């Protein structure tokens, strides 16, 4: 079995990914066993000035520090349960010391397996306005559909004022469900929850569209990789 490194960049998403990975061992084996896993987290607040300045290279350097520490801890590969962080991970630079799964590729693979054709994308403004999901979904013949500008701002505000701080409110859940309904009205056949904290607010039971939960999909892909049911990745950061 391979040793997983969780390269954290936000609290709730990293915690949910870690928990899902560990729980997957019990779900599959009936025992409280799973492949080795290490987590490294440099608080994302330190990177927010760089994010706001569009300075992805500085964020990448911070993430590279975590990757180096995971490699020293014995990890064979990493996952980063933070969609926005992948914008920085893709900045050209020295290879990371261990390979990683790319969260957008994992989500897009699942969308293709399910036969989706038009997927709504909910995440931070950085992710929604960025190239990750239009590219990954488009490569599989799937259209990425974004909320309108006002709804994108609302989705982003709830992430940064509530979700990343552990605040889960019914009022915000209802707003997200309204946004999802509007995406359904525009022909979407699924919604990708591509801020890794959103699944703490929106569950499949309440959503009017099938959900693609980026956090749990990444954790399960990591488990498959660790136990040899999925090929080891060869991506070490940089452009896709």
């Amino acid at each position: 079995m391979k040793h997983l490194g969780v390269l954290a960049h936000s609290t709730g998403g990293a915690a949910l990914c870690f928990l899902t990975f560990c729980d997957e061992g019990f779900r599959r084996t009936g025992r409280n066993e799973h492949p080795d896993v290490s987590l490294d987290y440099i608080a994302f607040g330190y990177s927010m000035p760089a994010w706001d300045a569009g300075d992805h290279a500085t964020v990448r350097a911070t993430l590279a520090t975590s990757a180096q520490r995971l490699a020293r801890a014995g990890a064979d590969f990493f996952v980063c349960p933070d969609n926005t962080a992948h914008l920085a991970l893709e900045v050209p630079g020295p290879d990371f010391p261990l390979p990683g799964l790319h969260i957008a590729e994992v989500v897009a693979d699942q969308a293709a397996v399910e036969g989706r054709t038009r997927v709504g994308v909910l995440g931070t403004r950085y992710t929604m306005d960025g190239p990750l999901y239009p590219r990954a979904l488009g490569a599989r013949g799937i259209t990425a559909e974004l909320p309108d500008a006002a709804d994108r701002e609302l989705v982003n505000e709830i992430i940064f004022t509530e979700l990343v701080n552990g605040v889960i409110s019914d009022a915000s859940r209802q707003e997200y469900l309204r946004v999802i309904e509007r995406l359904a009205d525009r022909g979407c056949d699924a919604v990708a929850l591509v801020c890794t904290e959103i699944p703490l607010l929106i569950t499949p039971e309440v959503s009017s569209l099938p959900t693609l939960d980026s956090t749990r999909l990444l954790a399960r892909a990591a488990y498959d990789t660790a136990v040899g049911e999925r090929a080891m990745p060869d991506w070490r950061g940089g452009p896709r």
Side-chain angles (χ1 to χ4, degrees), residues 6 10-21 79-83 103-104 106-107 133 192-202 211-223:
V6 177
S10 61
T11 308
L16 180 58
C17 181
F18 179 88
L19 179 63
T20 302
F21 179 86
V79 297
C80 181
D82 186 296
N83 287 272
I103 195 169
V106 170
V107 172
Y133 280 91
L193 309 180
V194 300
C195 161
T196 51
E197 278 76 32
I198 294 177
L200 299 170
L201 182 70
I202 300 298
T211 59
L212 292 161
D213 177 344
S214 63
T215 319
R216 291 183 173 93
L217 288 172
L218 183 65
R220 290 168 184 147
Y223 190 95

Side-chain angles (χ1 to χ4, degrees), residues 3 58 95 111 121 132 134 137 149 152 166 170 172 197 206-207 212 214:
H3 181 161
T58 292
D95 281 354
V121 176
L132 298 177
L137 292 168
R152 291 200 302 276
D170 190 60
S172 292
E197 278 76 32
V206 301
S207 176
L212 292 161
S214 63

Side-chain angles (χ1 to χ4, degrees), residues 128-174:
M128 289 187 289
D129 292 344
L132 298 177
Y133 280 91
R135 184 192 65 216
L137 292 168
R140 294 156 178 83
I142 303 168
T143 299
E145 189 78 23
L146 299 178
D148 64 28
D151 283 344
R152 291 200 302 276
E153 183 57 36
L154 173 72
V155 167
N156 181 76
E157 181 181 1
I158 289 171
I159 289 169
F160 281 106
T161 62
E162 298 182 16
L163 299 186
V164 300
N165 298 311
V167 177
I168 305 296
S169 75
D170 190 60
S172 292
R173 180 178 293 109
Q174 294 306 314

